Coordinates of all heavy atoms in Angstrom, one line a residue:
M104 N -6.5 43.8 -76.0 CA -5.9 43.5 -77.2 C -7.0 43.4 -78.2 O -8.0 42.6 -78.0 CB -5.1 42.1 -77.1 CG -4.5 41.6 -78.3 SD -3.6 40.1 -78.0 CE -2.1 40.6 -77.3
N105 N -6.9 44.1 -79.4 CA -7.9 43.9 -80.4 C -7.6 42.8 -81.4 O -6.5 42.1 -81.2 CB -8.1 45.3 -81.1 CG -6.9 45.7 -81.9 OD1 -6.1 44.8 -82.4 ND2 -6.6 47.0 -82.0
H106 N -8.5 42.6 -82.3 CA -8.3 41.5 -83.3 C -7.0 41.5 -84.1 O -6.3 40.5 -84.3 CB -9.5 41.4 -84.2 CG -9.7 40.1 -85.0 ND1 -10.0 39.0 -84.3 CD2 -9.5 39.8 -86.2 CE1 -10.1 38.0 -85.2 NE2 -9.8 38.5 -86.3
T107 N -6.7 42.7 -84.5 CA -5.4 42.9 -85.3 C -4.2 42.6 -84.5 O -3.3 42.0 -84.9 CB -5.3 44.4 -85.8 OG1 -6.5 44.6 -86.6 CG2 -4.1 44.6 -86.7
E108 N -4.2 43.1 -83.2 CA -3.0 42.8 -82.3 C -2.9 41.4 -82.0 O -1.8 40.8 -81.9 CB -3.2 43.6 -81.1 CG -3.1 45.1 -81.2 CD -3.5 46.0 -80.0 OE1 -4.4 45.5 -79.3 OE2 -3.1 47.1 -79.9
L109 N -4.1 40.7 -81.8 CA -4.1 39.3 -81.5 C -3.5 38.5 -82.7 O -2.7 37.6 -82.5 CB -5.5 38.8 -81.1 CG -5.7 37.3 -80.9 CD1 -4.9 36.9 -79.7 CD2 -7.2 37.0 -80.7
T110 N -4.0 38.8 -83.9 CA -3.5 38.2 -85.1 C -2.0 38.3 -85.2 O -1.2 37.3 -85.4 CB -4.2 38.7 -86.3 OG1 -5.6 38.5 -86.2 CG2 -3.6 38.0 -87.6
A111 N -1.5 39.5 -84.9 CA -0.1 39.8 -85.1 C 0.7 39.0 -84.0 O 1.8 38.4 -84.3 CB 0.2 41.2 -84.9
R112 N 0.2 38.9 -82.8 CA 0.9 38.2 -81.7 C 0.9 36.7 -82.0 O 1.9 36.0 -81.8 CB 0.2 38.5 -80.4 CG 0.9 37.9 -79.2 CD 2.3 38.5 -79.0 NE 2.9 38.0 -77.8 CZ 4.1 37.7 -77.6 NH1 4.9 37.9 -78.6 NH2 4.6 37.1 -76.6
V113 N -0.3 36.2 -82.4 CA -0.3 34.8 -82.7 C 0.7 34.4 -83.8 O 1.4 33.4 -83.8 CB -1.8 34.3 -83.1 CG1 -1.8 32.9 -83.7 CG2 -2.6 34.4 -81.9
S114 N 0.7 35.3 -84.8 CA 1.7 35.1 -85.9 C 3.1 35.1 -85.4 O 3.9 34.2 -85.8 CB 1.5 36.2 -86.9 OG 2.5 36.1 -88.0
Q115 N 3.4 36.0 -84.6 CA 4.8 36.1 -84.0 C 5.1 34.9 -83.2 O 6.2 34.3 -83.3 CB 4.8 37.4 -83.1 CG 6.2 37.6 -82.5 CD 6.1 38.8 -81.5 OE1 5.2 39.0 -80.8 NE2 7.3 39.6 -81.5
L116 N 4.2 34.4 -82.4 CA 4.5 33.3 -81.5 C 4.5 32.0 -82.2 O 5.3 31.1 -81.9 CB 3.5 33.2 -80.3 CG 3.5 34.4 -79.4 CD1 2.3 34.3 -78.4 CD2 4.8 34.3 -78.5
S117 N 3.7 31.8 -83.3 CA 3.6 30.6 -84.0 C 4.6 30.5 -85.2 O 4.9 29.3 -85.6 CB 2.2 30.4 -84.5 OG 1.9 31.3 -85.5
G118 N 5.0 31.6 -85.6 CA 5.9 31.5 -86.9 C 5.1 31.4 -88.1 O 5.7 31.2 -89.2
L119 N 3.8 31.4 -88.0 CA 2.9 31.4 -89.2 C 2.7 32.8 -89.7 O 2.8 33.7 -89.0 CB 1.6 30.7 -88.8 CG 1.7 29.2 -88.3 CD1 0.3 28.8 -87.8 CD2 2.1 28.3 -89.4
S120 N 2.2 32.9 -90.9 CA 2.0 34.1 -91.5 C 0.8 34.8 -90.8 O -0.1 34.1 -90.3 CB 1.7 34.1 -93.1 OG 0.5 33.4 -93.3
A121 N 0.7 36.1 -90.9 CA -0.4 36.8 -90.3 C -1.7 36.4 -91.1 O -2.8 36.3 -90.4 CB -0.2 38.3 -90.4
E122 N -1.6 36.2 -92.4 CA -2.8 35.8 -93.1 C -3.3 34.4 -92.7 O -4.5 34.3 -92.5 CB -2.4 35.7 -94.6 CG -3.5 35.4 -95.5 CD -3.1 35.3 -97.0 OE1 -2.3 36.2 -97.4 OE2 -3.7 34.4 -97.7
T123 N -2.5 33.5 -92.4 CA -2.9 32.2 -92.0 C -3.5 32.3 -90.6 O -4.5 31.7 -90.3 CB -1.7 31.2 -91.9 OG1 -1.1 31.1 -93.2 CG2 -2.1 29.8 -91.3
C124 N -2.8 33.1 -89.7 CA -3.4 33.2 -88.4 C -4.7 33.9 -88.4 O -5.7 33.6 -87.7 CB -2.4 34.0 -87.5 SG -0.9 33.1 -87.1
Q125 N -4.9 34.9 -89.3 CA -6.2 35.6 -89.5 C -7.3 34.6 -89.8 O -8.4 34.7 -89.3 CB -6.1 36.7 -90.5 CG -7.3 37.5 -90.7 CD -7.7 38.3 -89.5 OE1 -6.8 39.0 -89.0 NE2 -8.9 38.3 -89.1
K126 N -7.0 33.7 -90.8 CA -8.0 32.7 -91.2 C -8.3 31.7 -90.0 O -9.5 31.5 -89.9 CB -7.4 31.9 -92.4 CG -7.3 32.6 -93.7 CD -6.8 31.8 -94.8 CE -6.6 32.5 -96.1 NZ -6.0 31.7 -97.1
V127 N -7.3 31.4 -89.3 CA -7.6 30.4 -88.2 C -8.4 31.1 -87.1 O -9.4 30.6 -86.6 CB -6.3 30.0 -87.6 CG1 -6.5 29.2 -86.2 CG2 -5.5 29.0 -88.5
L128 N -8.1 32.4 -86.8 CA -8.9 33.1 -85.7 C -10.2 33.4 -86.2 O -11.2 33.3 -85.5 CB -8.1 34.5 -85.4 CG -6.8 34.2 -84.6 CD1 -6.1 35.5 -84.4 CD2 -7.1 33.6 -83.2
D129 N -10.4 33.7 -87.4 CA -11.8 33.9 -88.0 C -12.6 32.7 -88.0 O -13.8 32.7 -87.6 CB -11.7 34.4 -89.5 CG -11.2 35.9 -89.6 OD1 -11.2 36.6 -88.5 OD2 -10.8 36.3 -90.7
A130 N -12.0 31.5 -88.3 CA -12.7 30.2 -88.2 C -13.1 29.9 -86.8 O -14.1 29.4 -86.5 CB -11.9 29.1 -88.8
F131 N -12.1 30.2 -85.9 CA -12.4 29.9 -84.5 C -13.6 30.8 -84.0 O -14.5 30.3 -83.3 CB -11.1 30.2 -83.7 CG -11.4 30.2 -82.2 CD1 -11.4 28.9 -81.5 CD2 -11.4 31.3 -81.4 CE1 -11.6 28.8 -80.2 CE2 -11.7 31.1 -80.0 CZ -11.7 29.9 -79.4
E132 N -13.5 32.1 -84.4 CA -14.6 33.0 -84.0 C -16.0 32.5 -84.6 O -17.0 32.5 -83.9 CB -14.4 34.3 -84.5 CG -15.3 35.4 -84.1 CD -14.9 36.8 -84.6 OE1 -13.8 37.1 -84.7 OE2 -16.0 37.6 -84.9
Q133 N -16.0 32.0 -85.8 CA -17.2 31.6 -86.4 C -17.8 30.3 -85.7 O -18.9 30.1 -85.4 CB -16.9 31.2 -87.9 CG -18.2 30.7 -88.6 CD -18.0 30.4 -90.1 OE1 -16.9 30.7 -90.6 NE2 -18.9 29.7 -90.6
A134 N -16.8 29.4 -85.4 CA -17.2 28.2 -84.6 C -17.8 28.5 -83.3 O -18.9 27.9 -82.9 CB -16.0 27.2 -84.5
I135 N -17.2 29.4 -82.5 CA -17.8 29.9 -81.3 C -19.2 30.5 -81.5 O -20.1 30.2 -80.8 CB -16.8 30.8 -80.5 CG1 -15.5 30.0 -80.2 CG2 -17.5 31.4 -79.3 CD1 -15.7 28.9 -79.2
S136 N -19.3 31.4 -82.5 CA -20.5 32.0 -82.8 C -21.6 31.1 -83.1 O -22.8 31.2 -82.7 CB -20.4 33.0 -83.9 OG -19.4 34.0 -83.6
E137 N -21.3 30.0 -83.9 CA -22.3 29.0 -84.3 C -22.8 28.3 -83.0 O -24.0 28.0 -82.8 CB -21.7 28.1 -85.3 CG -21.5 28.6 -86.6 CD -20.8 27.7 -87.6 OE1 -20.4 26.6 -87.2 OE2 -20.5 28.1 -88.7
S138 N -21.9 28.0 -82.1 CA -22.3 27.3 -80.8 C -23.2 28.2 -80.0 O -24.1 27.7 -79.3 CB -21.1 26.8 -80.1 OG -20.5 27.9 -79.4
F139 N -23.1 29.5 -80.2 CA -24.0 30.4 -79.4 C -25.4 30.4 -79.9 O -26.3 30.8 -79.1 CB -23.4 31.9 -79.5 CG -22.2 32.2 -78.7 CD1 -21.5 33.3 -78.9 CD2 -21.7 31.2 -77.7 CE1 -20.3 33.5 -78.2 CE2 -20.5 31.4 -77.0 CZ -19.9 32.6 -77.3
S140 N -25.6 30.0 -81.2 CA -26.9 30.0 -81.7 C -27.7 28.8 -81.3 O -28.9 28.7 -81.6 CB -26.9 30.2 -83.2 OG -26.2 29.1 -83.8
E141 N -27.0 27.8 -80.7 CA -27.7 26.5 -80.4 C -28.3 26.7 -79.0 O -28.0 27.6 -78.3 CB -26.6 25.4 -80.4 CG -26.0 25.2 -81.7 CD -24.8 24.2 -81.6 OE1 -24.5 23.7 -80.5 OE2 -24.2 24.0 -82.7
K142 N -29.1 25.7 -78.7 CA -29.6 25.5 -77.3 C -28.6 25.5 -76.3 O -27.5 24.9 -76.6 CB -30.5 24.2 -77.3 CG -32.0 24.4 -77.1 CD -32.6 23.1 -76.9 CE -34.1 23.3 -77.0 NZ -34.7 22.0 -76.9
N143 N -28.8 26.0 -75.1 CA -27.8 25.9 -74.0 C -26.5 26.5 -74.4 O -25.4 26.1 -74.0 CB -27.6 24.5 -73.6 CG -28.9 23.8 -73.1 OD1 -29.7 24.5 -72.4 ND2 -29.0 22.6 -73.4
W144 N -26.6 27.6 -75.2 CA -25.2 28.3 -75.7 C -24.4 28.7 -74.6 O -23.2 28.7 -74.7 CB -25.6 29.4 -76.7 CG -26.2 30.6 -76.2 CD1 -27.6 30.8 -76.0 CD2 -25.6 31.7 -75.5 NE1 -27.8 32.0 -75.5 CE2 -26.6 32.6 -75.1 CE3 -24.2 32.0 -75.4 CZ2 -26.3 33.9 -74.5 CZ3 -24.0 33.3 -74.8 CH2 -25.0 34.1 -74.3
K145 N -25.0 29.2 -73.5 CA -24.2 29.7 -72.4 C -23.3 28.6 -71.8 O -22.1 28.8 -71.5 CB -25.1 30.3 -71.3 CG -25.7 31.7 -71.7 CD -26.6 32.2 -70.6 CE -27.3 33.5 -71.1 NZ -28.2 34.0 -70.1
T146 N -23.9 27.5 -71.6 CA -23.2 26.3 -71.0 C -22.1 25.9 -72.0 O -21.0 25.7 -71.6 CB -24.2 25.2 -70.8 OG1 -25.2 25.6 -69.9 CG2 -23.4 24.0 -70.2
K147 N -22.4 25.8 -73.3 CA -21.4 25.4 -74.3 C -20.3 26.5 -74.3 O -19.1 26.1 -74.4 CB -22.1 25.2 -75.6 CG -23.0 24.1 -75.6 CD -23.7 23.9 -77.0 CE -24.6 22.8 -77.0 NZ -25.2 22.5 -78.3
A148 N -20.6 27.8 -74.2 CA -19.5 28.7 -74.3 C -18.6 28.6 -73.1 O -17.4 28.7 -73.2 CB -20.2 30.1 -74.3
L149 N -19.2 28.3 -71.9 CA -18.4 28.2 -70.7 C -17.5 26.9 -70.9 O -16.4 26.9 -70.4 CB -19.2 28.1 -69.5 CG -19.9 29.4 -69.1 CD1 -20.9 29.2 -67.9 CD2 -18.9 30.4 -68.7
V150 N -18.0 25.9 -71.4 CA -17.2 24.6 -71.7 C -16.1 24.9 -72.6 O -14.9 24.5 -72.3 CB -18.1 23.5 -72.2 CG1 -17.3 22.3 -72.6 CG2 -19.1 23.0 -71.1
H151 N -16.3 25.7 -73.6 CA -15.3 26.0 -74.6 C -14.1 26.8 -73.8 O -13.0 26.5 -74.0 CB -15.8 26.8 -75.8 CG -16.6 26.0 -76.7 ND1 -16.0 25.0 -77.5 CD2 -17.8 26.2 -77.2 CE1 -17.0 24.5 -78.3 NE2 -18.1 25.2 -78.1
V152 N -14.6 27.8 -73.1 CA -13.6 28.7 -72.5 C -12.9 27.9 -71.4 O -11.6 27.9 -71.3 CB -14.3 29.9 -71.8 CG1 -13.4 30.6 -70.8 CG2 -14.8 30.8 -72.9
S153 N -13.5 27.0 -70.6 CA -12.9 26.2 -69.6 C -11.9 25.2 -70.3 O -10.7 25.1 -69.8 CB -14.0 25.4 -68.9 OG -13.3 24.5 -68.0
R154 N -12.2 24.6 -71.4 CA -11.2 23.8 -72.1 C -10.0 24.5 -72.6 O -8.9 24.0 -72.5 CB -12.0 23.0 -73.3 CG -12.9 22.0 -72.8 CD -13.5 21.3 -74.0 NE -14.5 20.3 -73.5 CZ -15.5 19.8 -74.3 NH1 -15.6 20.2 -75.5 NH2 -16.3 18.9 -73.8
M155 N -10.3 25.7 -73.1 CA -9.1 26.5 -73.6 C -8.2 26.9 -72.5 O -7.0 26.8 -72.6 CB -9.6 27.8 -74.3 CG -10.1 27.6 -75.7 SD -10.7 29.1 -76.6 CE -10.2 30.4 -75.5
L156 N -8.8 27.3 -71.4 CA -7.9 27.7 -70.2 C -7.2 26.5 -69.6 O -6.1 26.6 -69.3 CB -8.9 28.4 -69.2 CG -9.5 29.7 -69.5 CD1 -10.4 30.2 -68.4 CD2 -8.4 30.7 -69.8
N157 N -7.9 25.4 -69.6 CA -7.2 24.2 -69.1 C -6.0 23.8 -70.0 O -4.9 23.4 -69.6 CB -8.1 23.0 -69.1 CG -9.0 23.0 -67.8 OD1 -8.6 23.7 -66.8 ND2 -10.2 22.4 -67.9
S158 N -6.3 23.9 -71.4 CA -5.2 23.6 -72.3 C -4.0 24.6 -72.2 O -2.8 24.1 -72.2 CB -5.8 23.7 -73.7 OG -4.8 23.5 -74.7
I159 N -4.3 25.8 -72.1 CA -3.3 26.8 -71.8 C -2.5 26.6 -70.5 O -1.3 26.5 -70.5 CB -3.9 28.2 -71.8 CG1 -4.4 28.6 -73.1 CG2 -2.9 29.2 -71.2 CD1 -5.3 29.8 -73.1
R160 N -3.2 26.2 -69.5 CA -2.5 25.9 -68.2 C -1.7 24.7 -68.3 O -0.5 24.7 -67.8 CB -3.6 25.7 -67.1 CG -3.0 25.4 -65.7 CD -4.1 25.1 -64.7 NE -5.1 24.3 -65.1 CZ -5.0 22.9 -65.1 NH1 -3.9 22.3 -64.8 NH2 -6.0 22.2 -65.5
E161 N -2.1 23.7 -69.0 CA -1.3 22.4 -69.1 C 0.0 22.7 -69.9 O 1.0 22.2 -69.6 CB -2.1 21.3 -69.8 CG -3.2 20.8 -69.0 CD -4.2 19.8 -69.7 OE1 -3.9 19.5 -70.9 OE2 -5.1 19.4 -69.1
R162 N -0.2 23.5 -71.0 CA 1.0 23.9 -71.8 C 2.0 24.7 -71.0 O 3.2 24.5 -71.1 CB 0.6 24.6 -73.1 CG 0.1 23.6 -74.2 CD -0.2 24.4 -75.4 NE -1.6 24.7 -75.3 CZ -2.2 25.6 -75.9 NH1 -1.6 26.4 -76.8 NH2 -3.5 25.9 -75.8
Q163 N 1.5 25.6 -70.2 CA 2.4 26.4 -69.3 C 3.1 25.5 -68.3 O 4.3 25.6 -68.1 CB 1.6 27.5 -68.6 CG 1.2 28.6 -69.6 CD 0.3 29.6 -68.9 OE1 -0.3 29.3 -67.8 NE2 0.3 30.8 -69.4
E164 N 2.4 24.6 -67.7 CA 3.0 23.7 -66.8 C 4.0 22.8 -67.4 O 5.1 22.5 -66.9 CB 1.9 22.8 -66.1 CG 1.1 23.6 -65.1 CD -0.1 22.8 -64.6 OE1 -0.3 21.6 -65.1 OE2 -0.9 23.3 -63.8
N165 N 3.7 22.3 -68.6 CA 4.7 21.4 -69.4 C 6.0 22.2 -69.7 O 7.1 21.7 -69.6 CB 4.0 20.9 -70.6 CG 3.0 19.8 -70.4 OD1 3.0 19.2 -69.3 ND2 2.1 19.6 -71.3
R166 N 5.8 23.5 -70.1 CA 6.9 24.3 -70.4 C 7.8 24.5 -69.2 O 9.0 24.5 -69.2 CB 6.5 25.6 -71.0 CG 6.1 25.5 -72.4 CD 5.8 26.9 -73.0 NE 4.9 26.8 -74.1 CZ 3.7 27.4 -74.4 NH1 3.3 28.3 -73.4 NH2 3.0 27.2 -75.4
A167 N 7.1 24.8 -68.1 CA 7.8 25.0 -66.8 C 8.6 23.8 -66.4 O 9.8 23.9 -65.9 CB 6.8 25.5 -65.7
Q168 N 7.9 22.6 -66.5 CA 8.6 21.4 -66.2 C 9.8 21.1 -67.1 O 10.9 20.7 -66.6 CB 7.6 20.2 -66.2 CG 6.6 20.2 -65.1 CD 5.6 19.1 -65.4 OE1 5.5 18.4 -66.3 NE2 4.6 19.0 -64.4
K169 N 9.7 21.4 -68.3 CA 10.8 21.2 -69.3 C 12.0 22.2 -68.9 O 13.1 21.7 -69.0 CB 10.3 21.5 -70.7 CG 11.4 21.2 -71.8 CD 10.9 21.4 -73.1 CE 11.8 21.1 -74.2 NZ 13.3 21.3 -74.0
R170 N 11.6 23.4 -68.7 CA 12.7 24.4 -68.2 C 13.4 23.9 -67.0 O 14.6 23.9 -66.9 CB 12.1 25.7 -68.0 CG 11.9 26.6 -69.3 CD 11.6 28.0 -68.9 NE 10.4 28.2 -68.1 CZ 9.2 28.4 -68.5 NH1 8.9 28.4 -69.8 NH2 8.2 28.5 -67.7
E171 N 12.6 23.4 -66.0 CA 13.2 22.9 -64.8 C 14.1 21.7 -65.1 O 15.3 21.6 -64.5 CB 12.1 22.6 -63.8 CG 12.6 22.2 -62.4 CD 11.5 21.9 -61.5 OE1 10.6 22.8 -61.3 OE2 11.5 20.8 -60.8
K172 N 13.7 20.8 -65.8 CA 14.5 19.6 -66.2 C 15.8 20.1 -66.9 O 16.8 19.5 -66.7 CB 13.6 18.7 -67.1 CG 14.4 17.4 -67.5 CD 13.5 16.6 -68.3 CE 14.3 15.4 -68.9 NZ 13.5 14.6 -69.9
D173 N 15.6 21.0 -67.9 CA 16.8 21.4 -68.7 C 17.8 22.1 -67.7 O 19.0 21.9 -67.9 CB 16.4 22.4 -69.7 CG 15.6 21.7 -70.9 OD1 15.6 20.5 -71.0 OD2 15.0 22.5 -71.7
Q174 N 17.3 22.8 -66.7 CA 18.2 23.5 -65.8 C 19.0 22.5 -64.9 O 20.1 22.7 -64.6 CB 17.5 24.5 -64.9 CG 17.0 25.7 -65.6 CD 16.2 26.7 -64.8 OE1 15.9 26.3 -63.7 NE2 15.9 27.9 -65.3
H175 N 18.3 21.5 -64.5 CA 18.9 20.4 -63.7 C 20.0 19.7 -64.5 O 21.0 19.1 -63.9 CB 17.9 19.5 -63.1 CG 17.1 20.0 -62.0 ND1 16.9 21.3 -61.8 CD2 16.4 19.4 -61.0 CE1 16.2 21.6 -60.6 NE2 15.9 20.4 -60.2
E176 N 19.8 19.6 -65.8 CA 20.7 18.8 -66.7 C 21.9 19.6 -66.9 O 23.0 19.0 -67.4 CB 20.0 18.4 -67.9 CG 18.9 17.4 -67.7 CD 18.2 17.0 -69.0 OE1 18.5 17.6 -70.1 OE2 17.4 16.0 -69.0
K177 N 22.0 20.9 -66.6 CA 23.2 21.8 -67.0 C 24.2 21.6 -65.9 O 24.2 21.4 -64.9 CB 22.7 23.2 -67.1 CG 22.0 23.4 -68.4 CD 21.6 24.9 -68.5 CE 20.9 25.1 -69.8 NZ 20.5 26.5 -70.1

């Protein structure tokens, strides 16, 4: 997935405009790039990625639990 496709997908999923998503993704990229210029950038990059993946996993688990709960209530 390239940057344009990512922006479009984030826009689609979030309901935000592509322009807004582009600004957010650009800012995110800049923040990550800045951390790479610091000491121990490899460790910091891994920490960022790990936190993002944990956040994604937690949201997926929460959605699955909500779906399961909603199905039991039907």
Side-chain angles (χ1 to χ4, degrees):
M104 178 178 285
N105 65 33
H106 197 68
T107 302
E108 293 167 335
L109 178 61
T110 300
R112 185 67 176 139
V113 170
S114 175
Q115 180 185 36
L116 292 171
S117 68
L119 298 172
S120 72
E122 182 180 321
T123 298
C124 292
Q125 181 68 45
K126 288 178 183 178
V127 170
L128 291 172
D129 288 346
F131 176 76
E132 184 179 325
Q133 181 180 348
I135 295 297
S136 294
E137 287 171 2
S138 73
F139 289 166
S140 67
E141 298 173 4
K142 248 184 189 178
N143 301 320
W144 68 268
K145 290 179 186 177
T146 300
K147 291 178 181 182
L149 290 174
V150 168
H151 286 299
V152 170
S153 176
R154 287 180 183 163
M155 280 182 9
L156 293 174
N157 284 334
S158 177
I159 290 167
R160 182 182 44 79
E161 287 173 7
R162 280 182 270 160
Q163 288 174 334
E164 289 172 356
N165 289 340
R166 286 186 200 124
Q168 289 173 357
K169 184 178 182 327
R170 279 193 302 271
E171 187 176 306
K172 181 181 174 186
D173 289 347
Q174 287 177 352
H175 284 25
E176 291 177 355
K177 288 183 180 180

